[in-house]
Amino acid sequence: MKYKLYIDVFFLLNFFMDTLLLFLIRKVLNCTATHVRVLSGGVFGAVMACVVTVIPSVPVWIRLLAGYGLVSICMIRISFSGMNFRMVLRAAIYLYGFAFLFGGILLILSVQIPIFRKSGMGLPAVCITGMITYVLVAGFHQRRQRRKRGCILPVKVVWNGREAVVQALVDTGNSLYEPISHKPVSIIEKQAMEAVFAGVCPAGFRAIPFHSLGKAHGILNGYELTELIIFGENEKIKIERPMVGLFDGNLSAGAAYQMILHPTLTERQEEHL
């Protein structure tokens, strides 16, 4: 049996699906890839799908290896150039998961929607499926991010080999940035850092202005630590050379937490352990 392949339609279908999946990865992993890079990854994936399909006598195992292995990895590397090997593998897992979800929704539409069942699953159906998939994944991701913010997490603060574990509130209201380096600033009780600093005044002092904590205008003493390790529900996030501001007093009633994390720190997926 012979089939007629419209290569232009085949290219557009693959380009749309690949680009959608890459945009979903960018959103979920909070990557900073530009639109141009993501579109370039989608073009590469679509071109390679056409090449592998039209070349005659290509064994099935080679098509599977190319389509589900090498091409997918290359698409991710083109779109997200700053990823290390572990992050590329993580992005690939998300890519396959989103593709599986995409295919499932497409199958449901082809069975349950009469117009698609009669006319077939063409480009309009794929576009509709893509929008549904994006809305579902984006909505789930936003709800997950809201749950992470405003919660209290254990955090290990490390400076010159000395460390301490404190309870930290992830606060969306914390919008402090160090004015010179523009690093996000987390606030920690001065008393909690006394054992870590052990009477030594760290180098690299920064004066950090703020407009909260009961003062219309104030200055926090800011210092750069060696690292922070944030212990989330299912992950650990390592932040190298974080900036903290020391608060002379208690941040919470009843000592529920001793630190207020900057919300962007829990989104830095590229620094996951």
Side-chain angles (χ1 to χ4, degrees):
M1 182 179 295
K2 294 184 178 180
Y3 296 93
K4 183 180 291 185
L5 175 66
Y6 295 94
I7 195 66
D8 54 343
V9 177
F10 185 74
F11 172 85
L12 288 175
L13 286 173
N14 279 274
F15 171 71
F16 177 82
M17 291 188 292
D18 291 342
T19 304
L20 171 76
L21 297 176
L22 292 171
F23 272 116
L24 281 173
I25 291 174
R26 188 181 74 166
K27 186 172 187 63
V28 171
L29 296 185
N30 297 294
C31 300
T32 57
T34 64
H35 283 51
V36 173
R37 294 198 68 90
V38 175
L39 292 173
S40 299
V43 169
F44 174 82
V47 170
M48 292 307 298
C50 293
V51 170
V52 172
T53 300
V54 300
I55 293 179
S57 303
V58 176
V60 175
W61 68 270
I62 294 182
R63 296 180 190 271
L64 292 176
L65 177 63
Y68 294 100
L70 299 178
V71 173
S72 298
I73 297 299
C74 290
M75 284 168 50
I76 293 169
R77 294 294 296 174
I78 291 171
S79 301
F80 314 107
S81 58
M83 285 186 173
N84 57 33
F85 180 72
R86 177 177 290 185
M87 285 302 300
V88 169
L89 291 181
R90 180 173 181 172
I93 293 173
Y94 274 108
L95 181 69
Y96 302 142
F98 293 151
F100 182 79
L101 176 63
F102 190 101
I105 296 175
L106 197 63
L107 179 62
I108 293 173
L109 289 178
S110 65
V111 173
Q112 300 296 330
I113 307 300
I115 187 173
F116 294 143
R117 188 166 59 246
K118 294 178 181 179
S119 61
M121 301 302 291
L123 186 59
V126 173
C127 292
I128 292 174
T129 304
M131 290 186 289
I132 293 174
T133 305
Y134 190 90
V135 169
L136 289 176
V137 174
F140 174 80
H141 176 66
Q142 288 177 354
R143 287 192 297 271
R144 183 172 178 268
Q145 290 299 105
R146 282 196 294 267
R147 286 197 301 267
K148 290 173 65 176
R149 294 169 179 165
C151 63
I152 297 177
L153 302 173
V155 174
K156 181 186 290 186
V157 293
V158 182
W159 180 76
N160 280 2
R162 291 190 289 271
E163 60 187 46
V165 177
V166 299
Q167 298 298 310
L169 174 71
V170 184
D171 183 14
T172 56
N174 178 11
S175 57
L176 287 180
Y177 287 88
E178 197 277 314
I180 298 177
S181 65
H182 302 291
K183 284 187 175 183
V185 178
S186 298
I187 305 168
I188 189 169
E189 294 178 358
K190 183 178 180 180
Q191 184 178 0
M193 293 300 299
E194 289 180 352
V196 178
F197 290 155
V200 178
C201 184
F205 166 78
R206 295 287 187 272
I208 302 171
F210 67 91
H211 306 282
S212 60
L213 302 176
K215 294 184 179 180
H217 300 282
I219 297 292
L220 289 176
N221 292 340
Y223 299 97
E224 189 177 81
L225 303 182
T226 304
E227 66 182 15
L228 288 179
I229 300 178
I230 304 170
F231 297 90
E233 294 181 0
N234 302 304
E235 60 190 358
K236 291 192 295 184
I237 305 174
K238 180 179 178 181
I239 311 297
E240 300 286 352
R241 301 177 62 186
M243 183 67 65
V244 297
L246 303 188
F247 177 67
D248 192 6
N250 296 323
L251 291 172
S252 69
Y257 53 88
Q258 301 80 44
M259 186 177 189
I260 298 177
L261 280 174
H262 198 284
T264 60
L265 298 185
T266 59
E267 300 173 357
R268 293 189 171 186
Q269 306 290 336
E270 68 274 12
E271 295 177 339
H272 279 194
L273 292 177

